[in-house]
Amino acid sequence: MNQSSSPTHIPVLCQEVIDGLQICPGGHYLDATLGRGGHSRLILSQFRDVHVTGIDRDQQAIAEAKENLAELGTERLQIWQGNFADYQPKNTKFEGIIADLGVSSPQLDVPKRGFSFRHDGPLDMRMDQSQSLTAAEIINHWQETALADIFYRYGEERLSRRIARRIVEQRPFDTTTQLAEAIARVVPAKYRYGRIHPATRVFQGLRIAVNEELSSLERFIEKSPQLLIPGGRIVIISFHSLEDRIVKYGFRDSPLLTIITKKPLISQPEEQEKNPRSRSAKLRVAQKL
């Protein structure tokens, strides 16, 4: 599917996305998190008369999506680079919207992007590499209380204050592995050798802060009903509780939406075995009144 040299991103909950959108002939759909084009490919390949507009903040992802989707007809795909919360189409309404939240597998697997402590890379974490704020700026220059707040609120890290204090004492940090090792050394042994690496929640919090992910999601959900035709559907896939909570209550509190999925849909064992990333995915669907 992906002919480029970068790692492949496998879209999750494919059938659930198609069923949730209830794709209609000749419809126009918004892929608010285009990535490498996984869900757009799914839609364009199964429904030959539909059009897709794709949005992404990552210029490299857009370049690869164009390459990956070229065989399906460029006349059926439009692309806009930017934050989906800032997207304001002119005179366009969509039959459906799909958003697959969070960082993509290729971003995690490319060391120079700095998203993962499993690879030695710069403390970057920017989805939009034209923005100035990086993880290094936050780690090396923000106050201890601000760091602790990020780790606790966005990473749900219960040792946030202890970790923030140690970071301030030992900074500056240049690479992901330097930071991860410092975090591992400051936590108790039972925490250090637990189910997940002790830096996992800190890195999640940093990534969310760098990219303003939660505030962007809140703005996007608030404006998304205005992008839909009456009866149009929005499908959102989240990967952690902070995102899912925003989606759940954003759908519930919107006067223009009715909830289709009373409980989020999750992946089946067969998909989880093939694609471990799908294990934490939760899909919610709402429809414009």
Side-chain angles (χ1 to χ4, degrees), residues 231-259:
R233 289 190 167 196
I234 177 169
V235 174
I236 299 185
I237 303 171
S238 60
F239 289 88
H240 56 74
S241 59
L242 298 175
E243 291 175 337
D244 183 57
R245 194 175 301 130
I246 291 172
V247 177
K248 176 182 178 179
Y249 292 113
F251 283 178
R252 187 197 68 179
D253 296 340
S254 172
L256 298 176
L257 295 175
T258 182
I259 295 173

Side-chain angles (χ1 to χ4, degrees), residues 136-143 147 171:
E137 173 68 22
I138 292 175
I139 285 295
N140 292 322
H141 299 287
W142 286 25
Q143 293 183 353
L147 293 180
R171 63 190 186 188

Side-chain angles (χ1 to χ4, degrees), residues 89-133:
K90 296 180 179 179
N91 304 317
T92 301
K93 298 287 185 181
F94 299 96
E95 275 73 19
I97 299 171
I98 167 67
D100 178 355
L101 305 175
V103 66
S104 71
S105 301
Q107 287 170 327
L108 286 171
D109 293 335
V110 176
K112 68 180 182 179
R113 300 300 299 271
F115 282 100
S116 174
F117 50 79
R118 292 182 175 83
H119 311 283
D120 190 40
L123 284 166
D124 192 326
M125 299 192 187
R126 293 173 297 171
M127 292 180 180
D128 177 358
Q129 293 193 288
S130 68
Q131 76 174 45
S132 58
L133 181 64

Side-chain angles (χ1 to χ4, degrees), residues 16 21 39 45 50 54 84 108 110 152 156 158 163 184 209 275-276:
E16 290 83 354
L21 287 173
H39 283 113
S45 62
V50 304
F84 60 12
L108 286 171
V110 176
Y152 184 77
E156 299 180 295
R158 63 184 182 86
I163 293 170
N275 184 9

Side-chain angles (χ1 to χ4, degrees), residues 160-177:
S160 59
R161 292 182 181 179
R162 179 189 297 194
I163 293 170
R165 188 180 311 119
R166 180 58 61 90
I167 286 172
V168 170
E169 290 171 353
Q170 296 188 349
R171 63 190 186 188
F173 293 92
D174 297 316
T175 69
T176 53
T177 53

Side-chain angles (χ1 to χ4, degrees), residues 17 23 56 67 81 108 113 123 133 243 246 265 270 286:
V17 167
I23 294 176
D56 208 280
E67 179 183 342
Q81 183 181 354
L108 286 171
R113 300 300 299 271
L123 284 166
L133 181 64
E243 291 175 337
I246 291 172
L265 304 181
E270 182 180 355

